[in-house]
Amino acid sequence: MKQFETTLPEQYEALKKQANYTSSWRDRLEAVKTLSDYKHDKVIDLLKNRMQHDTVHQVQVAAYEALAAFGEDVEKPAPARFDIIKNTDKIFLRVKKSLPKDHTVADFADKLKRMRIDVFDAYEGDKGAEFMNWLEQRWAKL
């Protein structure tokens, strides 16, 4: 059985900040993975929060796996069935309206990234390699 550190990591405050960083799911995932070596109450609370509230399923699962390895009684999170961010269509429409009529999906993606990096990042993390295809479909329907 794996041995865990029971003290807080020296860099806990920085990792906590990174784990809650809304504009980068990759940073959150990295923080969760680093924290998964430390079986401490504060880490467990933080991981439970990521498992239950992260917008990106990959981050939720990494937190779940760490908690399960700690022996916590947790249920594996299911992927979101609907939009992972509330009012996504309203956000997308606002971005689309801010662009010239003849804009491309690439223009749309670029503007979304600048206006709402949190939304762009969450869906990019959630959709993976299918992100641009998914975004183009959503954009075409607006």
Side-chain angles (χ1 to χ4, degrees), residues 6 18 24 26 31 36 38 40 49 54 63 69 78 91 96 105 108 110 114 123-124 127-128:
T6 54
Q18 184 179 341
S24 176
R26 287 175 180 87
S36 67
Y38 298 88
H40 185 281
N49 181 282
D54 205 280
I91 295 165
K96 190 168 185 169
V105 70
F108 177 78
D110 187 54
R114 283 181 290 146
Y123 281 109
E124 183 201 31
K127 303 297 178 192

Side-chain angles (χ1 to χ4, degrees), residues 10-96:
E10 228 174 86
Q11 71 280 28
Y12 174 74
E13 287 304 321
L15 285 167
K16 179 180 175 184
K17 192 175 177 182
Q18 184 179 341
N20 292 305
Y21 191 52
T22 57
S23 65
S24 176
W25 68 270
R26 287 175 180 87
D27 286 351
R28 294 194 310 274
L29 182 61
E30 186 181 312
V32 164
K33 287 180 175 179
T34 301
L35 288 165
S36 67
D37 289 332
Y38 298 88
K39 187 177 178 179
H40 185 281
D41 288 346
K42 284 186 175 184
V43 171
I44 289 169
D45 286 346
L46 192 146
L47 291 175
K48 282 182 179 174
N49 181 282
R50 286 298 86 209
M51 183 186 85
Q52 294 165 348
H53 303 293
D54 205 280
T55 51
V56 176
H57 190 246
Q58 226 180 120
V59 177
Q60 291 176 337
V61 171
Y64 159 78
E65 288 170 348
L67 290 163
F70 291 164
E72 293 293 308
D73 183 19
V74 287
E75 270 186 50
K76 188 171 185 176
R81 289 187 313 205
F82 304 105
D83 283 341
I84 59 175
I85 294 179
K86 198 173 177 188
N87 296 324
T88 297
D89 280 337
K90 284 182 182 175
I91 295 165
F92 286 178
L93 197 56
R94 200 171 309 127
V95 173
K96 190 168 185 169

